[in-house]
Amino acid sequence: MNAYLEAFLNAFSANANWTWRSIIFDVPWYNNYFWGLILISLLVWGLEILFPWRKHQSIFRQDFWLDGFYIFFNFFIFTIAISGFYKFLEVFFNDLGMTASSLSLLDIGLWPNWSQLLVFFVLLDFFQWFTHVLLHKFPFLWQFHKIHHSVKEMGFAAHFRYHWMENIFYKPLKTLGVMLLGGFEPQQAFIVHFVAIAIGHLNHANVKVTWGPLKYLFNNPVMHLYHHSYVLPEGKYGVNFGISLSLCDYLFRTNYIPEDSGTIPLGFPGDQKVPKGFLKQLWYGFGKNQSN
Ligand SMILES: [Zn+2]
Ligand SMILES: [Zn+2]
């Protein structure tokens, strides 16, 4: 049991220490997610200010600071808080004889770097797309996902407004993806992570980017705005589930972009019941019946 406690505490302090070292520039620049995240946020915010899609929208839109705080909460504070628990599980599964490479289907370690990254990016994106579909399909998951859909005015920081339970829901399939690829992230995985953050920020930004013919490959603000639409097509529990890529939505016919004015009402029927403050949102979703 001591080994578990030790692993738990070590992972917790290592994670907290890594974040602190990132803040004081004591880690390689390409692994510095703290300042990297701030830089990407400022760049995308700059695009919103220079080329706004909805011209009337304030630079400090509704819930700007709440969502700004969510960026740091979901990316750092929650990651530190949960790290010990994840390490605990890793040691537990190791004790059962299951390691990160137990399910390895492809040994991509010997492939050229660019193809490792591509496979890693596409596979992880697919697993996240699928998880996102589940978040909309099952009411007990939707309860938590409602926090993300409570955004009423869209801007880049809305990317990170989501309930901390979502981190946990996404984890199993993301881990499965890494395990299928041999149990390790490619060396340059930071490129994939930064690209994913930038695309996710853009998807929520008040800028009109559609990528031309590449829209069948990459998700974009026009497509994702309809994911947040208050009104959904009859009989659907969601549309445009894509994370970084739009490919899955086109493949599985969950794509829906009837127009591109950018002015549609956002949210969902009953969204006025979602609490406005961060602390109340922390515990939202656990109550018994909160449906709509
Ligand atoms: Zn959603
Ligand atoms: Zn979104």
Side-chain angles (χ1 to χ4, degrees):
M1 200 61 211
N2 255 348
Y4 281 95
L5 187 65
E6 208 176 301
F8 182 94
L9 293 173
N10 282 349
F12 181 81
S13 62
N15 230 291
N17 189 37
W18 179 263
T19 302
W20 173 245
R21 284 179 49 210
S22 303
I23 295 171
I24 60 170
F25 296 100
D26 191 29
V27 300
W29 64 268
Y30 50 84
N31 275 330
N32 198 325
Y33 289 97
F34 185 84
W35 290 106
L37 194 55
I38 290 178
L39 185 68
I40 292 173
S41 298
L42 289 176
L43 284 174
V44 179
W45 194 27
L47 286 178
E48 285 189 345
I49 295 167
L50 289 173
F51 312 104
W53 181 10
R54 292 170 291 280
K55 310 250 182 285
H56 61 276
Q57 185 171 307
S58 162
I59 292 171
F60 295 94
R61 63 167 175 87
Q62 187 183 336
D63 295 333
F64 178 89
W65 296 108
L66 171 72
D67 294 345
F69 177 72
Y70 262 110
I71 294 183
F72 292 96
F73 178 80
N74 274 323
F75 211 93
F76 300 104
I77 301 173
F78 179 79
T79 308
I80 294 169
I82 198 76
S83 57
F85 177 68
Y86 284 154
K87 192 72 194 175
F88 178 93
L89 286 181
E90 193 185 317
V91 176
F92 174 72
F93 282 114
N94 275 350
D95 281 354
L96 292 180
M98 272 197 66
T99 64
S101 58
S102 297
L103 294 176
S104 173
L105 273 187
L106 286 172
D107 186 4
I108 63 167
L110 300 172
W111 295 15
N113 280 340
W114 66 267
S115 57
Q116 285 188 32
L117 287 180
L118 193 66
V119 172
F120 181 69
F121 182 52
V122 173
L123 193 75
L124 244 58
D125 193 76
F126 168 72
F127 278 124
Q128 291 180 85
W129 176 86
F130 185 66
T131 307
H132 191 188
V133 172
L134 300 181
L135 291 181
H136 280 260
K137 186 169 169 57
F138 293 106
F140 83 99
L141 296 175
W142 169 242
Q143 289 301 331
F144 296 102
H145 192 47
K146 276 179 181 174
I147 297 291
H148 184 62
H149 282 268
S150 68
V151 174
K152 298 299 283 181
E153 203 169 31
M154 194 58 80
F156 74 94
H159 178 200
F160 277 92
R161 186 199 300 184
Y162 54 83
H163 197 283
W164 55 272
M165 280 291 282
E166 283 199 31
N167 292 308
I168 295 175
F169 297 142
Y170 275 99
K171 186 77 176 173
L173 283 178
K174 265 163 108 176
T175 308
L176 178 68
V178 174
M179 286 175 81
L180 292 176
L181 296 179
F184 69 98
E185 294 201 349
Q187 252 177 8
Q188 288 94 350
F190 65 90
I191 299 175
V192 169
H193 296 314
F194 278 124
V195 166
I197 293 170
I199 295 180
H201 266 34
L202 261 184
N203 288 340
H204 294 87
N206 182 24
V207 284
K208 191 179 181 184
V209 180
T210 52
W211 303 129
L214 291 179
K215 69 179 181 191
Y216 297 108
L217 207 54
F218 294 106
N219 199 357
N220 56 72
V222 177
M223 189 169 195
H224 195 65
L225 195 74
Y226 260 97
H227 178 66
H228 283 266
S229 173
Y230 189 93
V231 181
L232 285 172
E234 185 97 26
K236 301 236 181 196
Y237 51 77
V239 294
N240 303 349
F241 299 102
I243 309 290
S244 296
L245 301 177
S246 56
L247 190 65
C248 289
D249 285 314
Y250 284 105
L251 282 178
F252 296 99
R253 304 285 161 92
T254 46
N255 60 302
Y256 179 69
I257 312 171
E259 55 84 50
D260 61 1
S261 66
T263 55
I264 53 170
L266 307 180
F268 57 90
D271 58 6
Q272 71 280 3
K273 290 186 195 155
V274 174
K276 302 277 173 264
F278 174 76
L279 286 176
K280 283 193 172 150
Q281 291 186 357
L282 260 185
W283 304 112
Y284 188 79
F286 291 107
K288 39 183 195 316
N289 191 6
Q290 296 176 341
S291 56
N292 292 333

